[in-house]
Amino acid sequence: MKLGAYLGYWGVGMGGRDLLSTVQEAEALGYDSVWTAEAYGSDAATVLAYVAAGTERIGLGSAIFQMPARSPAMTAMTAASIDQLSGGRMLLGIGPSGPQVAEGWHGQRFARQLQRTREYVAVVRMALARERLEFHGETIELPLPDGPGKPLKLMIAPAQHQIPIYLAAIGPKNTALAGEIADGWIPTLFSPEHVGEFSERLEEGAARGGRSLDGFDIAPVVNSYVSDDLERARDLMRPGLALYVGGMGSRDQNFYNRVVQRYGFEAEARQIQDLYLDGKKDEAAAAVPTRLIDTVTLSGPPEAIRERLAAYREAGVGTLMVAPMAFTTVERSEQLRAVAELAEE
């Protein structure tokens, strides 16, 4: 199992120099990759290009590029550019984002996501292979009919023969789609104990695509904090879990709430959401059950983290994206080091 350093959103408590020093430390510690996110603040591509200039070997992953923010051709252009600039280190994670961001920020309808994702990935692959873009799908039409457009091909080639494409997915159908068309899968709130359900969906998708999952990379994002003070470590996890389970989306459309319910926390998930959406964020955080924290995070003393790392490894995780719940450069580096040392034992 390889380790990835997950940076989250740049600019939220981390400046440029802090970011680069953290990534350089991760590279020195032997982390295989570094991943950055975007929502409606910093974009992931600029951060990856900045990091590329200050590193030598570490993989550069987007987790994720938002599909509603870019045409598939623009995603291919960006990925190819970063891949060339970095000497072939790009890892392309993409996903649909959510309805509030897609429609409220990007002005793109959040609809037909399965078909949209399928066609989006197909066009990205065509572009990266430097094929002329002629595509007639249900959600994407290239060139547009009855106009001056003509099929074009990417002017530059990626450094890699094939840039790996990861899909961020939580729901059963989207997870199956990742198994069908992607090179890797980025789940959030991943539980090693429930990997059987996920594996079934991935295998279902692979069978539909007539392919094997050999080499397929399961790459969950996992919040982490190594400390002998177990309660403090758990408490650091509570606000983030409350945000995702309670406030990431609407009452009727929160993918993270649904996945926690599938883990057996139906009543707790509803309570957290009710509190969060009523503006009681502290109470929502306090309502996050410790069993859920222990299921989906790496939090607690070294011996507990060592056991959880083994559980992720046994669940077939290929890349564990470690997201330290730390708020200074020094502490982030300490946390990355702690997990790296435990993973080697």
Side-chain angles (χ1 to χ4, degrees):
M1 184 174 70
K2 298 176 291 187
L3 294 182
Y6 183 77
L7 303 176
Y9 307 119
W10 175 80
V12 182
M14 189 187 300
R17 292 185 179 180
D18 291 340
L19 170 82
L20 186 56
S21 64
T22 298
V23 177
Q24 289 171 336
E25 177 69 11
E27 186 173 58
L29 288 169
Y31 277 72
D32 183 75
S33 54
V34 60
W35 302 76
T36 189
E38 62 186 19
Y40 43 94
S42 60
D43 74 285
T46 303
V47 175
L48 291 178
Y50 173 71
V51 167
T55 55
E56 296 180 357
R57 63 151 195 87
I58 198 164
L60 306 167
S62 56
I64 54 159
F65 282 172
Q66 299 173 95
M67 288 166 45
R70 302 171 182 81
S71 70
M74 186 68 235
T75 291
M77 290 166 62
T78 303
S81 298
I82 295 173
D83 201 49
Q84 278 282 5
L85 289 169
S86 66
R89 293 187 276 151
M90 183 67 196
L91 303 164
L92 178 54
I94 63 175
S97 189
Q100 292 179 327
V101 173
E103 298 195 8
W105 186 248
H106 298 300
Q108 300 293 318
R109 291 295 180 196
F110 192 81
R112 306 193 66 191
Q113 288 305 312
L114 282 172
Q115 187 64 19
R116 170 70 173 167
T117 302
R118 180 187 300 280
E119 295 181 3
Y120 193 101
V121 171
V123 173
V124 169
R125 288 200 189 279
M126 288 176 64
L128 289 174
R130 303 192 68 220
E131 299 176 19
R132 293 197 179 275
L133 286 191
E134 185 168 357
F135 190 91
H136 306 290
E138 297 177 22
T139 68
I140 300 175
E141 182 83 16
L142 292 170
L144 289 175
D146 304 321
K150 64 178 183 178
L152 300 172
K153 70 176 183 180
L154 190 63
M155 294 172 65
I156 63 171
Q160 298 177 75
H161 173 67
Q162 181 173 307
I163 295 176
I165 296 179
Y166 290 70
L167 281 188
I170 300 175
K173 292 181 179 179
N174 283 315
T175 300
L177 185 64
E180 180 182 354
I181 67 173
D183 303 300
W185 171 50
I186 303 174
T188 303
L189 303 184
F190 177 82
S191 165
E193 286 73 25
H194 294 82
V195 71
E197 175 190 343
F198 298 129
S199 296
E200 287 178 9
R201 295 298 183 179
L202 293 171
E203 292 286 356
E204 172 192 324
R208 188 166 59 225
R211 58 180 293 208
S212 165
L213 289 178
D214 290 346
F216 185 87
D217 192 13
I218 298 176
V221 178
V222 182
N223 291 345
S224 67
Y225 195 84
V226 183
S227 172
D228 288 325
D229 188 340
L230 175 58
E231 291 312 308
R232 178 171 182 268
R234 285 172 170 164
D235 285 345
L236 285 171
M237 304 297 157
R238 293 182 184 277
L241 288 175
L243 168 63
Y244 274 79
V245 176
M248 196 67 78
S250 66
R251 192 178 300 276
D252 297 326
Q253 205 165 25
N254 181 322
F255 310 117
Y256 307 100
N257 189 282
R258 291 175 189 170
V259 76
V260 168
Q261 290 196 41
R262 293 206 303 272
Y263 292 163
F265 297 95
E266 295 92 345
E268 295 90 339
R270 286 192 291 269
Q271 180 189 20
I272 293 166
Q273 186 177 60
D274 288 342
L275 289 168
Y276 201 96
L277 295 181
D278 285 343
K280 301 174 182 178
K281 297 181 180 180
D282 291 342
E283 292 179 43
V288 175
T290 56
R291 191 162 59 90
L292 175 60
I293 296 171
D294 294 344
T295 296
V296 300
T297 74
L298 292 169
S299 53
E303 56 270 22
I305 302 299
R306 191 181 298 111
E307 291 180 6
R308 293 307 290 164
L309 287 170
Y312 282 101
R313 193 177 292 112
E314 291 168 9
V317 170
T319 299
L320 187 72
M321 295 192 204
V322 179
M325 298 302 289
F327 305 99
T328 67
T329 304
V330 171
E331 191 177 22
R332 275 190 293 271
S333 295
E334 289 174 348
Q335 286 297 316
L336 289 173
R337 179 179 297 277
V339 174
E341 291 175 351
L342 290 168
E344 290 180 353
E345 294 179 4

